[in-house]
Amino acid sequence: MNFGNQTPTIVVLKEGTDASQGKGQIISNINACVAIQEALKPTLGPLGSDILIVNSNKKTTISNDGATILKLLDVVHPAARTLVDISRAQDAEVGDGTTSVTILAGELMKEAKPFLEEGISSHVIMKGYRRAVELATAKIQEICVDISNNDQDNRKLLERCAKTAMTSKLIYKNADFFVKMCVDAVLSLDKDDLDDKLIGMKKIPGGSMEESLFINGVAFKKTFSYAGFEQQPKKFKNPKILSLNVELELKAEKDNAEVRVENVEDYQAIVDAEWQLIMDKLKQIESTGANIVLSKLPIGDLATQFFADRNIFCAGRVASDDLERAVLAVGGSIQSSTTDIKEEHLGTCQVFEEIQIGSERYNLFQGCPKAKTCTLLLRGGAEQVIAEVERSLHDAIMIVKRALQNKLIVAGGGAVEMEVSRYLRNYSKTIAGKQQLIINAFAKALEVIPRQLCENAGLDAVELLNKLRMAHSKGEKWYGVDFETESVGDNFAKFVWEPALVKINALNSATEAANLILSVDETITNKESQPANAGMAPPAGAGRGRGLSMQ
């Protein structure tokens, strides 16, 4: 067929594919991110409220931790998911500031929206934001205070940073109790790598929050026990501890293999051989002189009774991470065979005991010679309360860790944001063109943190922001919102301290997220495919929300 000069229609995308592009698409993405920001705003700061989230299984979570809330919200908008990602990244990298980074990113997008509506290219805005964040980061590095040479006790400095991290948390009323626990936990780790994964947290419902315990060593819940367990001693001083990855259980022959026998004597010989094998293993363990035997695999009733008769304590089916932390604390190594166990393979500690905590029994290893690990036993009235205590302590522990590694700090309570905002405003007056407006917009966006702190506390945000602007223009660089006097004050002098790393990371992450959203001007969403046969999975790449975003 001759088409003449007509160009044939070429179908590239499947019928029903949704494609939207242009300025309207960018503004739509910004609106989605601002909706996420609005949801998180009320949780910021010491007087921020908590959010109750109920998932599809009717499980409730009460939290004001930004990363936790965003993780539990089922965000389907592809652009808004960017905020979820930066919040998680902030949580993993620094541990705190997860709400701040999301609010900042949302505010940067909100400030960019009028420029887009006036026809300014998104690339011009992105260029201005990149320049602004470079200047902001340099300013924070310039004004931050190095506390490594401070005459004060190093521990006090860490406690102040931990207390600031707890101001917005559920545990703030018990801050003095938990601050000590956090600092003890971080200082008990190896000073070279400060691996926070070696801080174990166990949640025990019941009791008050201040009944929580810090164990300088390892604690884990009593494992499954067989008959004979109660006859074992439950307390030792300076015991020898053997850690195994060996099953000490007498198994029925039918579970292991099929054996054909012609007479009863042959069958009895097989049973005797089974008994002999496990008895040999138990005697080899006894000959090591170990007082405590721990194993990842089951320790059966025969072995339990054998150990009880010889005043040896045993625990089988110990969780893998608990056993590994125990070995790091007490020394020795995990053995996968009972033959050739030497003295150096055994660990020790000053005191081992099994105690009752709430409704559970716990095995405690304290006074460990190689203690590079610790355990926090958290108590509380309800499971949701304990879960929020755990999240709060995680944030505070990460802050103490960062403060120990990087001894550069700034004042919190919106002080550093106001100082950087003032600096960027003054800088914007020295340049001409559109960049002046964009850098000024970045400076205005930073004020969202002190403004939201005031609003959440029920204070007059307009009045306090004016006071802060005046104070910073006079050189009071550490002036921020003071919740005690419901006014403004020098937050550095009041020890409202945060690691500079938290602020730098939050600013960079928020700007990257804003620029990423601004750079996407087309979204293509594949139509959800219907499988040809019921029960078949749709082809890869199909599904609502899966899409291609291109610049």
Side-chain angles (χ1 to χ4, degrees):
M1 185 183 291
N2 184 12
F3 286 96
N5 292 328
Q6 284 185 322
T7 305
T9 303
I10 299 172
V11 178
V12 177
L13 300 174
K14 184 187 286 187
E15 187 181 348
T17 300
D18 175 40
S20 46
Q21 63 188 66
K23 184 170 75 177
Q25 178 59 32
I26 302 179
I27 290 172
S28 166
N29 288 344
I30 288 174
N31 290 340
C33 293
V34 169
I36 295 281
Q37 182 210 31
E38 291 296 328
L40 279 191
K41 267 185 173 181
T43 69
L44 184 73
L47 300 169
S49 52
D50 290 358
I51 291 181
L52 171 64
I53 301 168
V54 185
N55 69 6
S56 55
N57 298 327
K58 299 289 181 274
K59 186 188 172 197
T60 56
T61 305
I62 301 170
S63 181
N64 71 353
D65 179 58
T68 305
I69 294 165
L70 289 179
K71 191 163 61 179
L72 293 170
L73 290 178
D74 194 5
V75 180
V76 292
H77 195 285
R81 287 193 68 81
T82 311
L83 296 188
V84 181
D85 293 339
I86 60 162
S87 183
R88 284 186 184 177
Q90 177 82 2
D91 194 38
E93 181 62 26
V94 190
D96 198 16
T98 53
T99 308
S100 304
V101 73
T102 312
I103 290 174
L104 271 173
E107 197 66 18
L108 288 172
M109 291 178 216
K110 200 188 281 183
E111 289 295 331
K113 196 169 155 186
F115 296 127
L116 290 166
E117 288 167 344
E118 286 166 18
I120 294 176
S121 166
S122 60
H123 294 283
V124 174
I125 302 170
M126 287 157 59
K127 184 182 173 188
Y129 277 4
R130 274 196 289 268
R131 179 72 187 127
V133 80
E134 281 172 19
L135 291 165
T137 304
K139 182 65 178 173
I140 293 172
Q141 287 170 339
E142 178 195 324
I143 63 173
C144 64
V145 179
D146 187 347
I147 55 171
S148 54
N149 300 321
N150 201 303
D151 294 336
Q152 297 182 57
D153 178 22
N154 190 35
R155 184 187 176 88
K156 276 187 182 169
L157 304 176
L158 295 175
E159 284 180 354
R160 281 165 187 158
C161 288
K163 193 163 186 178
T164 304
M166 286 180 192
T167 50
S168 62
K169 305 297 182 188
L170 179 76
I171 57 177
Y172 185 58
K173 294 285 185 288
N174 313 82
D176 292 337
F177 174 79
F178 283 111
V179 157
K180 181 178 181 301
M181 190 181 276
C182 282
V183 176
D184 284 342
V186 176
L187 294 179
S188 70
L189 300 176
D190 189 327
K191 288 181 175 51
D192 295 329
D193 58 0
L194 290 174
D195 185 359
D196 55 277
K197 291 187 181 69
L198 294 177
I199 299 174
M201 289 197 200
K202 304 292 180 186
K203 295 177 276 193
I204 311 169
S208 69
M209 284 194 271
E210 294 212 359
E211 285 177 36
S212 301
L213 296 172
F214 169 79
I215 306 296
N216 191 13
V218 178
F220 53 80
K221 197 158 84 170
K222 171 180 169 284
T223 57
F224 181 83
S225 56
Y226 287 90
F229 178 81
E230 293 307 325
Q231 297 165 31
Q232 293 178 353
K234 301 295 188 294
K235 185 168 183 178
F236 290 98
K237 288 195 174 176
N238 301 313
K240 290 182 179 178
I241 303 162
L242 173 61
S243 305
L244 296 172
N245 188 17
V246 178
E247 190 173 28
L248 298 173
E249 198 166 25
L250 192 64
K251 289 215 168 182
E253 292 69 30
K254 65 181 181 187
D255 296 337
N256 296 329
E258 183 179 327
V259 182
R260 296 178 185 274
V261 292
E262 292 182 359
N263 52 51
V264 177
E265 289 79 13
D266 292 345
Y267 178 74
Q268 189 59 45
I270 293 165
V271 174
D272 291 345
E274 290 277 351
W275 272 77
Q276 195 57 47
L277 281 169
I278 192 166
M279 290 306 288
D280 288 346
K281 284 181 185 176
L282 296 175
K283 283 171 182 169
Q284 285 165 352
I285 291 169
E286 184 193 2
S287 65
T288 63
N291 309 106
I292 298 170
V293 179
L294 307 175
S295 180
K296 285 185 187 179
L297 297 174
I299 295 178
D301 45 6
L302 170 69
T304 304
Q305 190 62 57
F306 179 93
F307 290 137
D309 293 344
R310 288 154 183 78
N311 286 329
I312 298 171
F313 175 89
C314 71
R317 295 180 185 155
V318 180
S320 185
D321 57 338
D322 285 334
L323 188 61
E324 282 161 18
R325 285 196 308 110
V327 169
L328 280 171
V330 302
S333 57
I334 298 175
Q335 300 295 301
S336 53
S337 165
T338 57
T339 56
D340 198 31
I341 296 175
K342 297 186 172 65
E343 186 72 24
E344 61 266 25
H345 299 149
L346 303 177
T348 187
C349 64
Q350 285 177 10
V351 179
F352 164 81
E353 59 183 329
E354 184 179 292
I355 61 170
Q356 186 84 21
I357 303 176
S359 59
E360 307 284 359
R361 290 189 71 76
Y362 269 76
N363 297 328
L364 273 54
F365 299 81
Q366 298 187 80
C368 306
K370 300 189 175 182
K372 290 174 183 168
T373 179
C374 64
T375 309
L376 309 180
L377 301 178
L378 308 178
R379 306 297 309 277
E383 279 185 30
Q384 288 92 337
V385 172
I386 305 175
E388 182 63 0
V389 169
E390 183 184 20
R391 286 188 287 269
S392 306
L393 285 178
H394 168 262
D395 285 7
I397 284 167
M398 289 292 283
I399 287 295
V400 172
K401 176 184 166 181
R402 294 300 175 199
L404 199 58
Q405 287 173 326
N406 186 349
K407 292 190 169 60
L408 300 173
I409 60 154
V410 291
V416 73
E417 284 86 2
M418 287 303 295
E419 180 61 19
V420 172
S421 176
R422 180 201 62 79
Y423 168 69
L424 289 177
R425 271 207 176 87
N426 291 344
Y427 174 83
S428 71
K429 291 171 187 170
T430 65
I431 57 173
K434 294 172 185 171
Q435 295 300 311
Q436 180 187 40
L437 298 171
I438 291 158
I439 290 175
N440 201 49
F442 191 100
K444 186 182 172 192
L446 290 175
E447 290 186 351
V448 71
I449 299 294
R451 188 188 314 122
Q452 197 59 43
L453 288 173
C454 293
E455 285 179 10
N456 291 350
L459 309 176
D460 186 338
V462 176
E463 182 193 346
L464 292 190
L465 274 175
N466 282 332
K467 282 184 180 177
L468 283 175
R469 287 191 197 110
M470 189 183 295
H472 282 266
S473 67
K474 291 178 180 174
E476 298 284 1
K477 64 182 179 183
W478 296 131
Y479 260 53
V481 182
D482 186 339
F483 296 99
E484 288 177 8
T485 61
E486 297 191 354
S487 182
V488 298
D490 188 335
N491 281 349
F492 199 89
K494 294 198 170 182
F495 305 117
V496 181
W497 292 355
E498 294 185 69
L501 185 71
V502 175
K503 297 298 181 189
I504 290 170
N505 205 74
L507 273 176
N508 283 312
S509 296
T511 310
E512 279 174 20
N515 282 352
L516 183 65
I517 299 298
L518 292 172
S519 70
V520 175
D521 78 338
E522 181 166 0
T523 302
I524 300 173
T525 308
N526 289 345
K527 184 186 178 189
E528 193 166 349
S529 300
Q530 294 298 323
N533 298 317
M536 281 180 59
R544 198 180 308 282
R546 280 182 189 273
L548 162 70
S549 292
M550 58 175 92
Q551 189 174 327

